[in-house]
Amino acid sequence: MMKHPLHHHHLLTTISFLLILLLINPVNSEWEWASDWEYIPPLYACSPTISNCSPNTNECLANPNHPQSTTDAECAACHSDQKYWPCDVDGLCYCWDKTTSQIPPAPSTRHYDSGKGLNISKVDPCDIITETVFKTMAPQAFPPYSYSGFCAAVRKYNKNHPTEGVFNMGNIDQQKSELASYFGNALHESDEFRAGREYLMCADRIELGGEVYCRPCDVSSFDWDLMKCPVGASLASGGRAFNSYCSSNLAPPEGCECDDVYERSESGPMAGYVKANQVYFGRGSIQLSWNYNYIRASVALTGAPQTFCQRPDLVATNEEYAWGAGLFYWMENIKNDKTCHQSVLLDEDFGLTLDNINGGLECPADDYGWHGKAVQLRLNRYCRAASAIGVKDLLSLDGCMGMDMRMRQCLDEGTCKDCKAWEGKLKLPDEVVVTDSEAAADDGNSNGGNGNKKKDKEKNKQNGNAANDVPISKKKKEKEEKEKNKQQAAAAAAAAAANGNTDNDKDELQS
């Protein structure tokens, strides 16, 4: 059907009006983060004419950190100016200068939203995290977690990863937000930067002949007051083979070679102790564990797999590596197709970072057992870091189901004192309610594990019975004493924070 000429006239008038409005009142580019994203055209990988990747001094290699998979042989064709796959996929192949360490690029923010990405900031992250800010966030930090070590690790990582760096992408608000998210998690994972090694595995240790020996222990036997594993309680006592954190079927490049480890002596002062450099337990600011994770971190941080494969305890003794292990995890561990770095910049979600780091134990963020309390401790540390760094707003908590309710709860109970300053800016539930899963867990805890009561919330509400929606702070008083002893046994904040990642989602680094 033909339109009347007046339709065209009105359309032109409307378009002209909108253009005038934009000229008079342009969009404020600082209102939203999205304005800092811009289309960045892909560089054809390893092109000698476009990317200045000369075949004489460089090799074109497959990037193992890319969501797509390819091979070095397929990427080699890019040196001939090939303009199709895999050379036209941003970051799938990379140019390696043979005079430098062979370190693949980190997963990029440019692989999302039709090629849009963030530019590298000119602001040094350590101009934001000054030594004063660091001491405000972490007043109890001690070696290997020094301020100078942090700055050295960040600068080294960004030098080795020039296309996608840590804490240096986007504008200063985005940098601050990522720094606060990282420190909120790392403060919790490292027990306020006091634990270089996982407590259960190596808090009880001896140095002999320049080597560190650890007496690994289980949580029920460990003496948390003395930070010792009693004689005979070592996981390596009595000639038993100790093989935790070792997937012995893997060999380089998939994993460091490892095997059963035995105690140095079956009797005497060295009974139950194993050599630290033979075991791949948790170490670092976001604790690195398992032989297949150590080899990837070693390549990402040093360019050589043997660095940490041969001496994994370097991650607990070398300041740059202790911090670097956390940076590697933050930038390169993928869960649900994204890293922590990407979850902050792409989704603006702190909850997703927790799900990546310890989601197997803390997401959903239910309110029972130690891990329910651990979520609150992590939130408080995030708030402390955010205030010290001066972020404008906290990120969403949606990525970890129930995390907003734990924030509401700890604000109501006064246990998240560092979050009080943010209370008016947070979108939280008006009242924390006990969920069906939490109620069932409570019944199980108080009835010898036979808690199988099923509550129908909708039916209760229809009958005017809000018993199931009582604020959790009231119900908590009724079970406080029952929970107290259980929490003390396994959950001193320091102990659980430093040992809480032995069976979490870090296994995904293998994929």
Side-chain angles (χ1 to χ4, degrees), residues 458-478:
E458 292 304 317
K459 185 175 180 180
N460 285 342
K461 288 179 181 178
Q462 290 169 8
N463 294 336
N465 182 357
N468 202 40
D469 294 330
V470 174
I472 200 164
S473 57
K474 294 180 182 178
K475 281 196 66 101
K476 193 169 183 68
K477 291 179 182 178
E478 299 173 4

Side-chain angles (χ1 to χ4, degrees), residues 224-468:
W224 293 105
D225 293 326
L226 299 177
M227 299 298 282
K228 292 287 184 181
C229 185
V231 176
S234 169
L235 297 176
S237 290
R240 285 181 295 172
F242 180 74
N243 56 12
S244 294
Y245 307 104
C246 167
S247 288
S248 57
N249 60 313
L250 299 179
E254 284 76 26
C256 300
E257 292 182 352
C258 62
D259 206 341
D260 295 345
V261 177
Y262 295 90
E263 59 187 337
R264 180 177 169 85
S265 175
E266 292 187 13
S267 61
M270 296 302 293
Y273 286 91
V274 299
K275 187 181 289 189
N277 272 317
Q278 292 180 322
V279 187
Y280 299 95
F281 54 70
R283 299 173 175 92
S285 56
I286 296 179
Q287 294 200 338
L288 186 70
S289 56
W290 290 91
N291 60 321
Y292 46 78
N293 295 338
Y294 270 83
I295 195 169
R296 287 195 63 203
S298 188
V299 171
L301 299 178
T302 75
Q306 65 269 24
T307 308
F308 295 164
C309 284
Q310 294 177 358
R311 298 193 66 82
D313 214 44
L314 282 172
V315 178
T317 57
N318 180 293
E319 293 185 351
E320 186 177 311
Y321 296 152
W323 284 110
L327 302 182
F328 158 75
Y329 187 87
W330 186 261
M331 294 294 295
E332 302 189 30
N333 183 58
I334 296 173
K335 182 177 181 182
N336 297 327
D337 297 325
K338 288 179 184 174
T339 63
C340 292
H341 168 75
Q342 291 169 326
S343 293
V344 170
L345 295 178
L346 296 169
D347 298 293
E348 302 174 22
D349 196 315
F350 181 74
L352 284 174
T353 67
L354 170 54
D355 187 44
N356 187 309
I357 293 169
N358 211 21
L361 296 174
E362 296 180 36
C363 295
D366 293 325
D367 176 50
Y368 59 87
W370 160 248
H371 294 293
K373 183 61 65 177
V375 173
Q376 295 184 15
L377 291 171
R378 192 184 299 265
L379 283 168
N380 194 58
R381 286 159 171 153
Y382 172 45
C383 291
R384 187 202 313 164
S387 295
I389 293 169
V391 305
K392 289 182 177 179
D393 295 292
L394 297 185
L395 298 181
S396 168
L397 307 178
D398 292 345
C400 178
M401 187 172 68
M403 202 175 190
D404 58 344
M405 289 192 288
R406 298 291 74 77
M407 175 70 92
R408 176 76 275 161
Q409 177 187 349
C410 63
L411 284 169
D412 291 345
E413 295 176 355
T415 52
C416 285
K417 295 180 180 178
D418 290 314
C419 293
K420 269 294 180 184
W422 297 96
E423 188 168 12
K425 298 182 178 181
L426 297 171
K427 294 180 180 179
L428 299 174
D430 293 332
E431 188 175 79
V432 179
V433 297
V434 181
T435 65
D436 289 339
S437 62
E438 292 166 352
D442 293 341
D443 289 341
N445 290 336
S446 59
N447 296 324
N450 294 319
N452 55 6
K453 294 180 181 180
K454 300 296 182 181
K455 298 183 179 181
D456 188 338
K457 281 188 174 183
E458 292 304 317
K459 185 175 180 180
N460 285 342
K461 288 179 181 178
Q462 290 169 8
N463 294 336
N465 182 357
N468 202 40

Side-chain angles (χ1 to χ4, degrees), residues 120-198:
I120 302 292
S121 172
K122 295 180 181 179
V123 179
D124 188 313
C126 285
D127 288 339
I128 300 171
I129 304 295
T130 63
E131 190 164 8
T132 299
V133 170
F134 179 76
K135 289 179 178 178
T136 301
M137 292 188 296
Q140 301 179 72
F142 59 77
Y145 302 113
S146 70
Y147 172 71
S148 59
F150 169 75
C151 292
V154 169
R155 288 165 183 158
K156 182 68 172 292
Y157 188 92
N158 288 340
K159 180 181 179 181
N160 289 333
H161 299 82
T163 59
E164 187 80 21
V166 61
F167 315 136
N168 72 344
M169 306 297 292
N171 63 28
I172 192 168
D173 289 331
Q174 289 165 304
Q175 289 179 269
K176 286 181 177 181
S177 191
E178 185 178 10
L179 283 160
S181 299
Y182 170 82
F183 274 100
N185 282 296
L187 280 162
H188 186 79
E189 296 292 310
S190 64
D191 184 23
E192 303 278 339
F193 299 127
R194 294 180 296 183
R197 302 177 181 89
E198 184 181 332

